[in-house]
Amino acid sequence: MKLRPVLLVILLLSGFYYVTTHSASTGRIFPWLHSSSESGAATNDAPVSGPMGSFHLTEAAAQPAFDTEEQQNIAVYKKAISSVVNITSTEVAFDFFYGPVPQQGQGSGFVLTKDGLILTNNHVIGNAQRLEVMLSDKHKYKAKVLAVDKNHDLALIKIEAPNLTPVTLSDSRNLMVGQRVYAIGNPFGLNGTMTRGIISAIRSIRGPQGNPIEDAIQTDAAVNPGNSGGPLLNSKGEVIGITTMIASNGADQSSGIGFAIPVNTARAMLDDYAKYGYVRRPTLDIVTLPIGPDIAEQIGLPADYGILIERVLPGGAAEKAGLHGGTQRAYQGNIPVMLGGDLIVAMDGQEITSPQDLSAAMDSHRAGDAVTITVFRGRKRMDVKVTLGDARDQQDPRGAQST
């Protein structure tokens, strides 16, 4: 009889232990024991059973809402992705035995119009014998080149495809350092990749051909090989630039310093194509020699900076305006030069100290514009009115580079 109370206590303790360790943990019998420790948590307890036993996973009861920043990222991507294309260029090289060897390159571009106009970099298409464009839906089309602007590394191509989605072009005049930007393209062939960063600086750079690109957009958004020609977007998903190059220090991959051509530079090219069917590059039709203090002192020039006119091209803008080329043959190292011509020191009052200054000044004009060129002719400083020519109409018969 004395054992009954002891057995009863043991039985009660055993029952309590079982309930608290096996049932209360799942909340099946005493749901308040389970929920009291995680009140307000939006979770579900999902049992998983299999040959190795059973266990429970805690899962979110619903998809969490995106925060404001994530919503903006997603909105930019959705707005632009259907307009971004992958461009494959194929050109034929020759091996040691003069056998043809196809070589392929890849880049990006974006749709400008519903009928298939696409903007990209000139260095993406290069000297390709064949161009292929793949849309975001994986459909592929052959493309043809309509116009190029090598000085600004831009190219306009076209495909025949239905119902294309064009981008929205913004204005690149009032961009601010610190402004958020997005780059979408095909880095290393990975289609539809988006990266995000800020505008790190607005500066002049040298393009792939060595030509100056004014007001280039520097960004820390990751840009890699294959991004070239793709859009740089603002937080509204509008195009503010065309991704063109990276500062890689030889690594050929993102170093946090990428550059894009401002979209307003592309607008000038597109306006020319719409009006004339080709890109009109303004030119003075001259062959020049940069002047620095050392050269100026050696040949006795009245200024220690500027651009010396070696030759004026026959029938060109400079010749029509009465500018003079050189008459005295000399040598700069082993390179023959012509001295005695007019020394350009300003254009429309803007000082010209180097070929880059002259290129930058020309970028603000179009063929047919009238400008005032300030020169030294001997020791005499004078202003000459010049109507800029069209680079397409005038080529140097000797093959020298003209401005």
Side-chain angles (χ1 to χ4, degrees):
M1 295 296 292
K2 293 182 179 181
L3 291 177
R4 284 185 180 180
V6 175
L7 292 176
L8 183 59
V9 169
I10 293 174
L11 182 61
L12 290 173
L13 289 175
S14 298
F16 179 78
Y17 174 78
Y18 177 82
V19 169
T20 55
T21 57
H22 293 276
S23 299
S25 63
T26 64
R28 294 172 187 166
I29 297 179
F30 304 113
W32 60 86
L33 291 177
H34 177 72
S35 60
S36 61
S37 61
E38 298 183 33
S39 58
T43 59
N44 287 330
D45 194 23
V48 179
S49 300
M52 303 302 293
S54 62
F55 53 91
H56 294 267
L57 300 177
T58 302
E59 298 179 345
Q63 175 69 29
F66 298 112
D67 64 27
T68 303
E69 188 173 320
E70 290 172 328
Q71 290 175 10
Q72 185 181 59
N73 296 343
I74 295 168
V76 169
Y77 188 77
K78 286 184 175 180
K79 180 175 181 178
I81 186 58
S82 59
S83 304
V84 181
V85 303
N86 184 14
I87 300 173
T88 302
S89 61
T90 304
E91 58 181 297
V92 177
F94 294 91
D95 61 18
F96 182 78
F97 300 100
Y98 295 98
V101 180
Q103 294 183 338
Q104 286 191 334
Q106 282 199 329
S108 305
F110 53 91
V111 177
L112 290 172
T113 62
K114 291 182 179 180
D115 61 353
L117 291 182
I118 292 172
L119 189 65
T120 185
N121 286 144
N122 178 65
H123 78 262
V124 169
I125 65 171
N127 298 313
Q129 282 82 34
R130 185 173 184 271
L131 285 176
E132 185 178 71
V133 169
M134 184 173 71
L135 304 179
S136 60
D137 61 7
K138 309 304 180 184
H139 284 86
K140 296 180 179 181
Y141 299 89
K142 291 182 180 180
K144 62 179 180 180
V145 179
L146 298 182
V148 298
D149 183 353
K150 293 182 179 180
N151 286 317
H152 295 110
D153 192 27
L154 295 170
L156 185 66
I157 64 177
K158 192 175 190 305
I159 62 174
E160 299 296 335
N163 302 320
L164 296 178
T165 304
V167 297
T168 301
L169 300 181
S170 185
D171 191 332
S172 57
R173 285 179 297 181
N174 299 312
L175 300 177
M176 299 293 292
V177 173
Q179 182 177 336
R180 185 178 297 165
V181 292
Y182 302 81
I184 300 183
N186 308 291
F188 302 113
L190 301 172
N191 299 337
T193 298
M194 183 175 80
T195 56
R196 191 187 73 167
I198 62 169
I199 295 178
S200 306
I202 305 291
R203 66 175 78 251
S204 296
I205 62 169
R206 290 291 191 92
Q209 301 294 326
N211 299 91
I213 298 175
E214 298 301 315
D215 299 323
I217 306 166
Q218 180 182 325
T219 178
D220 66 349
V223 175
N224 286 290
N227 272 111
S228 290
L232 188 70
L233 307 157
N234 61 19
S235 57
K236 296 180 181 179
E238 302 165 340
V239 178
I240 59 172
I242 302 92
T243 306
T244 187
M245 59 190 296
I246 57 176
S248 62
N249 293 325
D252 202 25
Q253 63 185 19
S254 175
S255 60
I257 301 178
F259 296 97
I261 303 163
V263 72
N264 284 9
T265 299
R267 285 180 183 274
M269 171 198 177
L270 298 173
D271 288 346
D272 278 353
Y273 179 76
K275 291 179 181 178
Y276 311 110
Y278 65 95
V279 179
R280 299 186 72 191
R281 289 288 304 162
T283 179
L284 287 170
D285 300 318
I286 56 178
V287 178
T288 63
L289 176 68
I291 296 298
D294 292 341
I295 296 178
E297 183 179 1
Q298 290 175 15
I299 61 181
L301 294 176
D304 61 359
Y305 66 90
I307 304 294
L308 187 67
I309 301 178
E310 286 195 74
R311 286 187 295 112
V312 295
L313 303 185
E319 185 182 67
K320 292 176 181 177
L323 291 174
H324 293 178
T327 56
Q328 307 166 24
R329 181 179 291 273
Y331 287 87
Q332 188 178 29
N334 296 323
I335 302 174
V337 295
M338 297 298 292
L339 305 180
D342 293 338
L343 177 66
I344 299 175
V345 293
M347 179 174 172
D348 285 339
Q350 177 182 341
E351 193 173 74
I352 303 297
T353 64
S354 66
Q356 289 72 38
D357 287 346
L358 184 58
S359 294
M362 296 287 279
D363 280 346
S364 63
H365 293 284
R366 296 188 178 182
D369 287 354
V371 298
T372 300
I373 303 296
T374 302
V375 302
F376 277 102
R377 183 169 293 168
R379 293 285 170 177
K380 182 181 179 181
R381 185 183 176 105
M382 56 192 298
D383 290 334
V384 180
K385 293 287 186 181
V386 182
T387 299
L388 298 177
D390 188 337
R392 175 169 170 155
D393 296 335
Q394 180 64 271
Q395 293 183 357
D396 182 3
R398 298 188 189 180
Q401 183 178 2
S402 60
T403 302

